[in-house]
Amino acid sequence: MIGKAVKRIFKREPIYYGWVIALALAVTETVSYGVIFYAFSVFITPMEAELGWSRAQLTGAFSLSLLITGLVGVPVGYWLDKRGGRLLMTAGSIGATLLVALWSQVQTLPEFMLIMTLLGFCGAAVLYEPAFAVIATWFARQRGAAMAVLTFVAGFSSTLFVPLSDALLVAQGWRGAVLSLAILLGAVTIPLHAVLLRGKPQDLGLQPDGALTAAQPSQRQAIDLRAVLRSRFFWILTLAFALSTLSISAVRIHFIPLLISVGIHPTSAAWASGAIGVMQVAGRMIFAPVERHFSSKTMVAGVFALLAVSLGTLLLGKSGWLIALFVALFGMAVGTHTLARPLIVADSYGAAYYGRISSAIVIVLTVMSTSAPFAAGVIFDVFGNYDAMLLLALGFSVASVILIWLLPRRPAR
């Protein structure tokens, strides 16, 4: 083993450029999610105090931004399939930087709503979906590993940016903090997207994973997109991920109130919620080596089954060890869920049409993820506890496992 490693070092084999892109995207996703997504929660209270807006108004604007990010996915996906991610992600980074800077100077609610609306468009150009599309173009056999690298690093985004945002808030006030984050966003993401991203491996005389062009034929196959969007395979896959997304979104958002409602101290509930993020990263670390030995369909079914088991543990009781077990299993399920969808979409349809097909699924998932927390709140108000919500979430996750096994062998092309 040591001898082989030494030989590799002295041979100085060139690194496949796809890994350079994957690492660059890992950094830009960490910063983009940190500034555009996770930092917002830190500034809600000081913005309320200074501007006099209600929490519903602030969070409503933020929710609108997230909704737009999902809904504009189809034209973004079309662009990615035709032109790649370099220009789109660079322009998105420039736009996001300017909009976050304008956020730091906002004075009226209509201004803030407009900024959040436009930031939603930029989010569609710089967050996970375009990054996954780029990875799908540059990798085939090692696609799962590359996506795991990307999401492993970006998984620490909240861990880094929530305390950073809070420290900047204390030192500079919320306006200064938001402006500092805008500068950081631009300084990191714009040059990395503009300089390091490339169109396709074929532009460098390579195939995905680094094989020489002469050694491997092109993987591009003709696909009738209308037939895909009408196919049984597509809608079963979409419904399976929609049901699992409903379960995850409802439970994730209401987890702290759920624990508090059964007598857990708020501080302990917050720590438990934070631990879910840590277990997401752990799940992604396990996903890559395991994924090499199983089909994408089997991996997705396993992720959904893990989600169902985690919800089952929480229904058994709310003792300390059951909550700890839930946090571990649910966190790993959520972390691998992020990887499972792009993996099966890319494996089923190939990289050439990944952007458009994946973005069509994301529209459905966006509606589910934005409506689930509200629906869960209504259920709590009706029943006075979260048991009914957990039962529904468990039922949805079990149904998603069944749907995956009902997938036809081959998708319509």
Side-chain angles (χ1 to χ4, degrees), residues 19-370:
W19 290 111
V20 175
I21 290 176
L23 291 173
L25 289 173
V27 174
T28 61
E29 291 303 303
T30 302
V31 177
S32 296
Y33 266 103
V35 175
I36 296 174
F37 187 82
Y38 290 112
F40 177 79
S41 63
V42 176
F43 304 120
I44 292 175
T45 300
M47 289 182 70
E48 281 181 334
E50 178 183 327
L51 299 169
W53 303 338
S54 69
R55 185 158 303 188
Q57 290 171 323
L58 284 166
T59 56
F62 184 69
S63 297
L64 175 62
S65 177
L66 298 180
L67 183 62
I68 289 173
T69 295
L71 294 181
V72 300
V74 171
V76 167
Y78 185 86
W79 176 282
L80 288 165
D81 289 341
K82 292 291 186 181
R83 303 175 184 273
R86 186 180 188 180
L87 179 59
L88 178 74
M89 298 190 80
T90 302
S93 294
I94 294 171
T97 299
L98 294 174
L99 288 166
V100 175
L102 289 173
W103 171 13
S104 72
Q105 306 303 313
V106 71
Q107 298 292 338
T108 67
L109 184 59
E111 289 175 355
F112 184 62
M113 294 290 289
L114 178 60
I115 289 169
M116 288 293 107
T117 299
L118 296 176
L119 199 57
F121 286 94
C122 293
V126 300
L127 297 179
Y128 269 152
E129 285 309 307
F132 285 152
V134 172
I135 293 295
T137 298
W138 282 82
F139 292 90
R141 182 175 53 84
Q142 296 178 302
R143 186 176 290 142
M147 289 183 177
V149 168
L150 167 62
T151 56
F152 171 77
V153 177
F156 289 100
S157 182
S158 62
T159 306
L160 294 172
F161 275 86
V162 170
L164 172 62
S165 300
D166 184 67
L168 290 172
L169 173 65
V170 172
Q172 303 175 345
W174 78 265
R175 292 187 183 276
V178 172
L179 182 59
S180 295
L181 290 174
I183 295 170
L184 176 62
L185 177 67
V188 174
T189 64
I190 294 172
L192 288 180
H193 287 155
V195 176
L196 294 183
L197 295 191
R198 295 289 185 273
K200 298 177 181 179
Q202 289 83 355
D203 298 338
L204 303 181
L206 299 171
Q207 286 292 319
D209 300 315
L212 294 175
T213 301
Q216 187 177 5
S218 173
Q219 294 182 332
R220 186 179 182 96
Q221 300 179 27
I223 290 180
D224 183 342
L225 287 173
R226 291 184 179 180
V228 167
L229 297 180
R230 292 195 302 263
S231 69
R232 180 168 169 257
F233 185 99
F234 174 84
W235 284 107
I236 290 177
L237 184 65
T238 301
L239 180 58
F241 274 98
L243 293 176
S244 61
T245 299
L246 268 174
S247 301
I248 289 172
S249 183
V251 175
R252 189 71 178 94
I253 298 298
H254 285 267
F255 183 55
I256 291 178
L258 185 154
L259 293 184
I260 294 173
S261 71
V262 296
I264 304 297
H265 190 276
T267 301
S268 299
W271 276 100
S273 180
I276 290 176
V278 176
M279 295 311 300
Q280 288 180 216
V281 175
R284 290 164 184 168
M285 290 178 65
I286 297 170
F287 186 91
V290 173
E291 177 266 335
R292 299 171 191 167
H293 303 288
F294 297 95
S295 68
S296 56
K297 177 179 176 179
T298 301
M299 291 299 297
V300 172
V303 169
F304 292 165
L306 183 62
L307 175 62
V309 172
S310 71
L311 293 169
T313 62
L314 203 57
L315 277 166
L316 291 175
K318 307 299 185 294
S319 62
W321 73 272
L322 282 172
I323 291 173
L325 181 60
F326 166 80
V327 166
L329 297 178
F330 184 76
M332 288 191 289
V334 173
T336 52
H337 190 275
T338 304
L339 293 170
R341 180 180 52 79
L343 178 67
I344 194 170
V345 171
D347 285 354
S348 299
Y349 296 105
Y353 297 86
Y354 172 88
R356 279 166 283 186
I357 295 171
S358 179
S359 62
I361 297 175
V362 168
I363 290 177
V364 179
L365 303 190
T366 299
V367 174
M368 295 301 177
S369 62
T370 53

